[in-house]
Amino acid sequence: MLTPDAFDAPDAPDASDAPGTDEVEVALEGGNVGGAVRVGDTVRRPTGPWTPAVHELLDFLATTDLPHVPRVLGIDDRGREILTYLPGRVVPIGVEPLTDGQVRSAMRWLRHFHEVVADFPRETRRWRFVERALEPGEIVCHHDSAMYNLAFDGDELAGVFDWDAAGPGRPIDDLAIFAWNAPLLFPDRDPAASAHGLRVMADAYGDVDPAAILDHVAVRMTDASDRIEEAQRRGDPGMLRLGEIGEPASTRARIVTLRACTPAIRALL
């Protein structure tokens, strides 16, 4: 969820057996939170108290013109959710940067998502980290719209997965976590590259200042760290797995680095 190792990559060997026959399960790479596996043209993931709300969200999105979202197919006999598999390539975080074209495609999709999800019913639901209704100015955010949860076909976005952290938030929350894991992954190494990536994001999304994205990143990631720690205290298995790879301590350390680099990046925006 927060580190370069924490991603569910759908680039796995084919598992051609159809569900319901002799199911062949192929573990998807990464996945420090969910433990997803591929079975034929489906993905199976553990469920939790938040799953009904997430499935309601995905079912709602299926009624819109928003592309690249998994469809809910049900629950298997092991209590795992069954989702459609989204083909495409996940760009390895911390190894290969996103192209400007990939950033633009992801931001155009994110703007579209934020527009259509504004019509999602606003009453109280049990999400992974909170149970409440949407407040004024909030929508349901993906909350992990990072490059490790995006699949591409060349420069074009092909899939957005791992929706189990979805819940109330503001649109800039999704922009901030994308920036954290792409343009701002290594701000101490190249402030110019970070500034360029933020400008590409803002131009493609529209009606947002790149400096506003930059300013919100530390706020968003501090909040994420706090929520993960609270979930770890509650015994959330996925969040406990993040603890095994050093989260959220490593994120808090990165926030310190980002704050030190922010003036240099801001000067180039």
Side-chain angles (χ1 to χ4, degrees), residues 4 17 42 44 63 98-99 143 154 169 175 178 225 227-228 243 261:
D17 288 15
T42 72
R44 313 296 176 94
T63 69
L98 295 177
T99 67
H143 276 315
L175 291 166
F178 182 93
S225 298
R227 289 192 297 177
I228 289 171
C261 297

Side-chain angles (χ1 to χ4, degrees), residues 70-165:
R71 300 300 186 233
V72 179
L73 301 179
I75 303 294
D76 69 10
D77 57 6
R78 293 172 57 183
R80 300 174 301 183
E81 64 179 353
I82 310 173
L83 305 169
T84 53
Y85 172 78
L86 300 176
R89 177 174 181 264
V90 176
V91 179
I93 187 170
V95 176
E96 179 183 336
L98 295 177
T99 67
D100 285 357
Q102 288 168 336
V103 172
R104 292 188 186 99
S105 182
M107 289 300 100
R108 289 193 295 265
W109 180 91
L110 195 60
R111 179 62 180 259
H112 190 184
F113 164 56
H114 288 163
E115 289 172 347
V116 302
V117 81
D119 290 329
F120 185 72
R122 306 180 64 84
E123 59 263 21
T124 296
R125 289 172 181 81
R126 169 66 162 90
W127 302 100
R128 184 162 200 153
F129 295 107
V130 296
E131 182 175 1
R132 63 174 177 83
L134 297 178
E135 297 177 353
E138 288 188 329
I139 59 172
V140 175
C141 290
H142 182 283
H143 276 315
D144 205 7
S145 52
M147 60 187 289
Y148 46 75
N149 285 330
L150 309 177
F152 291 91
D153 180 4
D155 275 350
E156 292 303 312
L157 187 69
V160 180
F161 49 94
D162 199 359
W163 287 81
D164 53 324

